[in-house]
Amino acid sequence: MVDKRPPPTPFHIGRLHASKSQSQVNALFFSEDNERVFSGDGKGYVACTSTRTFRPIAVWQAHKDTILALCEWDGKILTRHTLPFLRHIRPRHGRDNKLHVWSPISALPIAVAESASTPSQDSTQPKILYSLDVNSLNFCRFSLLPLPASLQRENEGLEALVAVPNLAESEFTDVWSLPGLNRIHAAIGKEYDSLGTFSGRARDILGIIMAQHLYHEDVEIKGKSQKQLRVVSAYEDGSVSLFARTDTFFSRSVEGQGWTRLWNIKAHVESVMAICVSSDSSFVLTVSADHLIGKILLTVSFALRTDTYRTKHPGNACISLRCDDRICAVGGWDGKIRLYSVKTFKSLGTLSYHPEAIHALCFAHSNSNNRIQPVSMDEDGDEDDEYTKSDLEARTRWLVSGGKEGRIAFWRLDSFERGKH
């Protein structure tokens, strides 16, 4: 039977970036409790928007140039900027070249947030806690790996690791510690021949890194279970590589030494534009300027398998996975959002609102990660029916998208529970 229901439309449109900076939205992120959406644009502005009132809680210029990536971690906000990439130009004095870690934003009372469209900069704007020097002449977003409490106890003062492009060469990856800002691993991806001479493979064949993901895997080494640090890197030539740290978790490395490329797969015929890794780090999804969507298992066995889905729509800029890893959304240069089953790559529908390219997508968090907030009360202490528990649970099915025109669209999606996707 043909589904004759009209395609869904956004239930809310955020125009803050379009009105304030007239710049495209490049990054989106839901807070862990789904109470806030963070957005960053092409002129360096970051906005924090309440998902209850859809009013801005805080707006500030985090960088003097394009925001490439942002996220919230333990209440703090991370932002990274990028510059237009030109292979023959190196960083110059006065450029940003920073990854900033900002203080938490104090939540405003709902009544205050509803009373004005723009919050007071003095009362809500976060402060820079510390900054990391990074190489900004590329398009690669940072990848944050918060460490479990057990590893934090073993390494006092170390809370997280962050992967960024190498300071000098965008073909390789560096891993830094937070908040210590120490470079633990340098130039991951640099390879040497049997004589110890740099082979130059990444620079000459693969090109610069376009996207990366840092995670750890539980492996058995010499009969003992331990965590192994790994990096997924996607390249300009359309290939994807998986690297593993062959030494202990926190031992330092330089010039790529102590890292092994477990495999390299040519997933696309054009440059990889974005990747997303499943919540259990079992597979990675990739999109490109071509018409392909790749699914690669993050295993080391001979059963290594790559599924490639051929769409009819070339030019995909971003991809996001729902928290249950069953549904993915792909944003195209044609302004369309296409939903797919991760298991079968069956099309689940198309969302259309943005008149131009979509550069950012983000699903809300699921109930397993979301701490449902108590039902709000009005001034008389009575329950406010506007925000019930069912409303908050429905919010876990939201998707937000950001377009070149500077607007953010909020979508309510089906649960897709009826069929096996």
Side-chain angles (χ1 to χ4, degrees):
M1 180 181 294
V2 178
D3 189 351
K4 296 183 180 180
R5 293 178 298 176
T9 57
F11 68 89
H12 179 76
I13 300 298
R15 296 179 170 84
L16 182 64
H17 293 282
S19 61
K20 187 174 185 64
S21 61
Q22 293 101 39
S23 186
Q24 68 187 32
V25 177
N26 291 324
L28 292 166
F29 190 85
F30 270 98
S31 64
E32 184 181 356
D33 57 7
N34 293 332
E35 290 285 340
R36 301 169 301 283
V37 169
F38 295 90
S39 53
D41 67 27
K43 291 189 178 178
Y45 282 90
V46 173
C48 174
T49 302
S50 167
T51 57
R52 295 200 184 204
T53 65
F54 296 102
R55 299 286 189 181
I57 298 173
V59 182
W60 76 100
Q61 188 166 16
H63 298 271
K64 295 182 179 179
D65 219 309
T66 301
I67 297 290
L68 185 60
L70 56 81
C71 76
E72 186 184 41
W73 158 57
D74 196 26
K76 299 180 284 289
I77 305 141
L78 277 73
T79 62
R80 163 162 143 68
H81 108 301
T82 187
L83 301 172
F85 178 76
L86 295 173
R87 191 177 293 272
H88 63 281
I89 293 181
R90 290 302 177 190
R92 297 179 179 175
H93 178 76
R95 293 296 191 180
D96 193 320
N97 291 302
K98 297 287 187 181
L99 184 150
H100 292 315
V101 179
W102 302 82
S103 62
I105 295 175
S106 300
L108 293 176
I110 292 177
V112 175
E114 289 178 336
S115 66
S117 59
T118 303
S120 167
Q121 293 277 333
D122 295 335
S123 62
T124 61
Q125 181 170 321
K127 308 299 182 185
I128 295 178
L129 298 177
Y130 50 89
S131 298
L132 176 67
D133 291 326
V134 295
N135 169 11
S136 292
L137 292 179
N138 52 69
F139 304 107
C140 184
R141 304 173 184 221
F142 67 80
S143 176
L144 180 73
L145 175 61
L147 298 179
S150 59
L151 290 179
Q152 290 189 36
R153 286 193 296 269
E154 293 174 13
N155 300 268
E156 187 175 352
L158 183 59
E159 300 176 4
L161 299 177
V162 62
V164 293
N166 178 256
L167 280 171
E169 299 170 287
S170 294
E171 298 86 355
F172 310 118
T173 296
D174 290 345
V175 175
W176 295 75
S177 66
L178 298 180
L181 304 182
N182 296 312
R183 185 162 62 170
I184 298 178
H185 303 291
I188 300 170
K190 209 168 225 188
E191 296 179 319
Y192 302 84
D193 59 24
S194 58
L195 299 177
T197 303
F198 173 50
S199 67
R201 176 181 178 182
R203 178 186 298 126
D204 300 334
I205 300 176
L206 305 180
I208 67 171
I209 295 177
M210 300 295 290
Q212 59 190 353
H213 180 79
L214 177 68
Y215 69 104
H216 57 73
E217 182 82 7
D218 291 323
V219 299
E220 187 172 316
I221 299 177
K222 296 181 180 180
K224 296 179 63 176
S225 177
Q226 62 183 54
K227 295 188 183 298
Q228 184 182 68
L229 202 58
R230 296 188 175 184
V231 176
V232 183
S233 299
Y235 295 93
E236 196 175 10
D237 79 327
S239 65
V240 180
S241 292
L242 177 63
F243 297 94
R245 176 68 176 145
T246 54
D247 205 338
T248 56
F249 199 89
F250 293 109
S251 60
R252 293 175 180 262
S253 67
V254 295
E255 296 297 301
Q257 297 175 10
W259 286 82
T260 299
R261 190 191 301 266
L262 300 179
W263 46 254
N264 182 77
I265 293 175
K266 180 77 166 165
H268 296 273
V269 296
E270 299 286 349
S271 298
V272 177
M273 299 304 296
I275 66 173
C276 60
V277 174
S278 62
S279 58
D280 62 357
S281 301
S282 62
F283 65 86
V284 57
L285 299 181
T286 63
V287 292
S288 168
D290 59 28
H291 63 293
L292 305 175
I293 302 175
K295 180 182 179 182
I296 306 173
L297 298 185
L298 297 178
T299 62
V300 194
S301 68
F302 292 107
L304 179 66
R305 181 166 58 92
T306 305
D307 291 330
T308 302
Y309 177 69
R310 299 179 181 274
T311 75
K312 298 179 181 179
H313 314 285
N316 296 307
C318 53
I319 185 168
S320 181
L321 260 172
R322 201 170 69 176
C323 285
D324 60 4
D325 298 329
R326 295 177 56 209
I327 310 297
C328 71
V330 177
W333 292 346
D334 60 357
K336 302 291 194 298
I337 304 168
R338 296 177 175 88
L339 304 173
Y340 297 96
S341 160
V342 173
K343 181 179 180 180
T344 65
F345 283 120
K346 173 186 176 182
S347 175
L348 301 177
T350 301
L351 308 177
S352 180
Y353 166 76
H354 297 280
E356 298 183 84
I358 295 171
H359 292 281
L361 290 168
C362 188
F363 279 99
H365 295 289
S366 64
N367 283 336
S368 60
N369 296 323
N370 178 29
R371 297 187 295 274
I372 297 296
Q373 300 296 313
V375 177
S376 59
M377 301 290 182
D378 61 21
E379 293 180 355
D380 298 324
D382 298 323
E383 185 177 296
D384 187 347
D385 293 333
E386 187 177 355
Y387 303 113
T388 65
K389 184 174 180 179
S390 61
D391 290 332
L392 295 173
E393 295 211 359
R395 190 166 54 183
T396 65
R397 296 194 295 272
W398 287 7
L399 172 73
V400 290
S401 57
K404 184 178 180 179
E405 79 289 348
R407 294 193 289 270
I408 299 172
F410 289 75
W411 308 84
R412 290 190 183 96
L413 301 184
D414 188 4
S415 63
F416 300 106
E417 293 294 336
R418 294 181 180 178
K420 294 182 179 180
H421 304 297

